[in-house]
């Protein structure tokens, strides 16, 4: 048996499971083949060890009837995690353990997912029996489950339940089947036809799940599907709030654009990472001493929107441009300093805008504004906000309100310009290139932490935003590019980062000739996420620079697959 991961989206993956020369795309359903409900001809089949045919997934019968001839089954008896039977080590396929108990306890389920995925079993194909109803497949795949069985589809058919991607319906209540599969087209008469439909509904949903994993957008499907069942909402909340570390480790540093349309969007791993990274790493550009709080815009990046063009015109006309720190107040990210507006997900999210803020959003924004003001030491604070004003202004002592809640109006824009002009009198202004340099250093610090702070101190910025080359003593360390929104390093840039032991992948003593594969990786620093620019080095000797295709946790245990997509090799 062989399992290769082809696409990743958080803990979810599209994989290839090969058994005896037959390959199946995962996440997949392994069909139980019984006299009553036969498995589809070309699907993956689940059969008892000893009776399994070539290409089948074999399962040991039970821990109570443990026999020597089932020791080489793909699924050993221990996968059920029975509290009554002797504990048997897992086979080549991992599982969560006692699934029937976990289905009764969402917290225990989330804990079990975290324990499994934070450990050595991360890269093994993972079996999730009994739970795989169509409306749960998105969440279960999001938890890193790869193989489901057909038992819940059979049980539903036997109980007269017609399954859909948003939950089950009683067969007898349906006048017109909401599906066009062959069984539904015939009218879904009898339990076998109902099973045929249920299997079709699950197969269709799995195709959609695989599509979203490939696009990096599974989280949005999950947030939609979990609405069908409280248990699922609870599991996602436990994963987000209790197990953020594992979830964040696997979230790419630059993911797909998304709509933050649910309460759970506020705690997406990439959104939480944004806020914690601001708190842990952020320092304002030194000359940006006047804080200007402004609302977000639907169009991204914000600076391309008509409203932000007007704000920027007022800032420019005031003559205070180099002194003003524009910071966008927004949900679900909280705050976006202008210089970080290209960094994922600042230009890649959408939210429903009604002017109503819920309590969680209000608390989050107030907390972030309080942190910004307390930590960054501004000389003056100007609030030019819309509906955010009532949340933000009470948090700040002595802020000047220039918007009256209507930031786009001409009188308010004039008031903004005039206020900034007055604040800039006698202030120590700097030229545009100095401010651009400070903005780039801020991005480097946000992207690379300590490595960016130390390695990119005293750099110069050349070019026209958002395409900027970064130089130090005439040598290029990297470039800011659009739409990537991040700094791409040169070998010299990698050497500058390497000194702080940040974003480093350690290899054995060899010179990479092309992309770096996991088998060549000895270790990686904890900060490496998929999509990060990383230094490839042996001890302190930099050998290459490129983009991580795996996070640090995966690089440490993987033996196959591309670990770093190399951009430059050391000469
Ligand atoms: Zn159907």
């Amino acid at each position: 048996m062989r399992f290769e991961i082809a696409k990743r989206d958080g803990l979810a993956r599209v994989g290839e499971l090969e058994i005896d020369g037959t390959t199946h795309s995962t996440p997949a359903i392994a069909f139980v083949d019984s006299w009553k409900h036969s498995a589809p001809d070309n699907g993956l089949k689940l059969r008892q060890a000893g009776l399994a045919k070539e290409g089948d997934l074999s399962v040991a019968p039970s821990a109570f009837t443990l026999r020597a001839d089932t020791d080489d089954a793909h699924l050993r008896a221990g996968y059920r995690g029975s509290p009554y039977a002797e504990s048997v080590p897992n086979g080549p396929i991992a599982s969560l353990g006692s699934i029937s108990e976990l289905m009764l306890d969402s917290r225990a389920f989330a804990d079990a997912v975290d324990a499994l995925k934070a450990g050595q079993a991360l890269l093994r194909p993972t079996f999730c029996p009994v739970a795989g109803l169509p409306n749960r497949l998105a969440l279960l795949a999001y938890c890193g489950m790869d193989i489901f069985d057909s038992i819940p589809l059979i049980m539903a058919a036997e109980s007269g339940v017609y399954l859909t991607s948003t939950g089950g319906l009683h067969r007898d209540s349906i006048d017109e089947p909401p599906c066009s599969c062959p069984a539904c087209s015939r009218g879904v008469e009898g339990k076998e036809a109902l099973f045929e439909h249920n299997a079709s509904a699950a197969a269709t949903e799995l195709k959609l799940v695989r599509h979203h994993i490939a696009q990096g957008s599974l989280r949005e499907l999950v947030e939609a599907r979990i609405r069908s069942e409280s248990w699922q909402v609870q599991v996602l909340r436990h994963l987000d709030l209790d197990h953020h570390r594992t979830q964040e480790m696997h979230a790419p540093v630059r993911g797909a654009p998304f709509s933050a349309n649910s309460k759970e969007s506020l705690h997406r791993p990439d959104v939480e990472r944004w806020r914690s990274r601001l708190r842990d790493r952020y320092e304002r550009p030194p000359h940006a001493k006047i804080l200007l709080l402004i609302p977000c815009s639907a169009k991204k990046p914000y600076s391309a929107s008509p409203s932000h063009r007007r704000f920027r015109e007022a800032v420019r006309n005031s003559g205070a441009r180099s002194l003003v720190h524009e910071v966008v107040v927004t949900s679900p990210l909280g705050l976006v300093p202008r210089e970080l507006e290209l960094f994922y997900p600042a230009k890649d999210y959408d939210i429903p805008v009604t002017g109503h803020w819920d309590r969680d959003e209000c608390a989050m924004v107030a907390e972030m504004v309080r942190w910004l003001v307390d930590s960054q030491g501004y000389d003056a604070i100007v609030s030019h906000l819309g509906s955010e004003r009532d949340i933000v202004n009470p948090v700040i002592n002595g802020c000047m309100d220039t918007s009256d809640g209507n930031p786009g109006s001409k009188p308010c824009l004039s008031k903004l310009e005039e206020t900034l002009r007055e604040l800039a009198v006698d202030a120590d202004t700097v030229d545009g290139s100095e401010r651009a340099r400070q903005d780039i250093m801020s991005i480097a610090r946000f992207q690379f932490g300590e490595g960016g702070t130390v390695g990119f101190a005293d750099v110069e910025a050349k070019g026209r935003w958002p395409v900027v080359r970064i130089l130090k003593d005439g040598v290029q360390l990297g470039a800011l590019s659009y739409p990537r929104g991040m700094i791409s390093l040169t070998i010299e840039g990698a050497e500058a980062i390497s000194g702080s032991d940040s974003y480093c992948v350690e290899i054995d003593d060899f010179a990479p000739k092309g992309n770096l594969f996991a088998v060549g990786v000895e270790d990686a620093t904890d900060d490496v996420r998929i999509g990060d620019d990383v230094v490839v080095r042996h001890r302190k000797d930099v050998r290459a620079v490129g983009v991580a295709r795996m996070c640090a946790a995966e690089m440490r245990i993987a033996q196959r697959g591309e670990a770093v997509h190399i951009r430059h090799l050391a000469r």
Side-chain angles (χ1 to χ4, degrees), residues 454-528:
V454 176
F456 280 63
D458 306 320
V459 291
E460 286 174 84
K462 298 267 185 208
R464 195 178 155 81
W465 190 272
V467 181
V468 180
R469 289 190 308 131
I470 306 159
L471 298 106
K472 190 170 190 172
D473 304 328
V475 177
Q476 188 171 348
L477 299 189
L480 177 70
S481 61
Y482 186 83
R484 189 165 182 244
M486 303 166 67
I487 294 170
S488 304
L489 297 171
T490 61
I491 283 288
E492 290 76 13
E495 278 164 355
I497 299 292
S498 174
S500 303
D501 298 328
S502 334
Y503 293 91
C504 288
V505 176
E506 294 288 340
I507 59 171
D508 201 357
D509 190 6
F510 68 94
K513 297 214 159 27
N515 294 327
L516 178 66
F517 287 85
V519 66
V521 173
E522 295 209 320
D523 201 0
T525 51
D526 237 7
D527 42 24
V528 174

Side-chain angles (χ1 to χ4, degrees), residues 162 177-185 188 196-198 200-201:
Y162 179 101
C179 168
S180 307
C181 77
C184 290
S185 303
V188 211
E196 189 186 337
H197 159 79
N198 286 348
S200 166

Side-chain angles (χ1 to χ4, degrees), residues 225-452:
R225 292 295 192 247
I226 59 170
R227 302 279 158 250
S228 57
E229 200 177 14
S230 310
W231 178 85
Q232 295 196 55
V233 176
Q234 292 161 18
V235 168
L236 188 65
R237 290 187 186 166
H238 285 308
L239 288 173
D240 285 345
L241 302 175
D242 306 338
H243 300 293
H244 170 70
R245 193 180 148 75
T246 306
Q247 298 294 314
E248 190 276 325
M249 169 63 79
H250 292 273
V253 76
R254 183 169 162 258
F258 61 89
S259 287
N261 285 344
S262 84
K263 181 179 162 66
E264 284 71 33
S265 310
L266 206 58
H267 300 293
R268 287 173 57 109
D270 42 17
V271 166
E272 284 280 0
R273 172 201 288 149
W274 175 272
R275 292 195 292 260
S276 60
R277 217 176 245 203
L278 278 180
R279 283 190 294 263
D280 295 345
R281 297 183 176 180
Y282 189 74
E283 280 174 39
R284 67 168 167 83
H287 274 86
K289 294 172 186 166
I290 302 170
L291 172 61
L292 171 59
L293 293 165
I294 46 181
C296 67
S297 59
K299 190 177 168 99
K300 314 280 186 320
Y302 308 118
S303 55
S305 71
S307 61
H308 277 239
R309 283 195 178 143
R310 286 195 286 273
F311 301 152
R312 305 200 85 188
E313 194 184 331
V315 171
R316 201 167 38 242
N317 292 345
S318 73
R321 193 174 172 186
S322 69
L323 299 172
V324 172
H325 194 214
E326 296 167 43
V327 176
V328 176
V329 176
T330 184
S331 181
L333 299 180
L335 299 174
V336 179
R338 172 73 75 198
E339 74 273 17
L340 297 180
E341 72 168 4
L342 300 180
F343 206 102
Y344 183 85
K347 68 170 168 43
D348 304 279
Y349 73 96
D350 213 351
I351 43 162
V353 179
T354 58
H356 300 280
W357 291 65
D358 76 24
R359 239 176 240 232
D360 287 354
E361 287 175 313
C362 291
M364 178 273 293
V365 162
E367 188 194 324
M368 292 301 291
V369 169
R370 208 173 283 127
W371 160 80
L372 182 75
V373 170
D374 290 349
S375 65
Q376 304 298 312
Y378 294 101
D379 287 352
I381 300 169
V382 178
S383 163
H384 194 76
L385 295 166
S387 59
E388 311 80 4
R389 176 174 176 257
D390 297 338
I391 309 161
V392 171
N393 289 8
V395 173
I396 312 167
N397 284 330
C399 80
M400 282 168 264
D401 188 325
T402 51
S403 75
D404 294 328
N406 190 5
S409 73
K410 275 199 173 152
C412 294
L413 287 165
S414 302
K415 189 176 174 187
L416 172 65
E417 187 182 318
E418 196 49 43
T419 304
L420 293 177
R421 184 175 294 122
E422 284 167 18
L423 286 170
V425 172
D426 299 332
D428 174 23
T429 55
V430 288
D431 66 20
S433 66
E434 171 58 23
R435 180 56 197 276
R437 193 180 84 77
Q438 294 182 8
D439 286 346
I440 284 289
M441 282 160 59
S442 171
I443 298 171
R445 193 180 300 119
F446 190 73
Q447 183 174 340
F448 297 112
E450 183 67 11

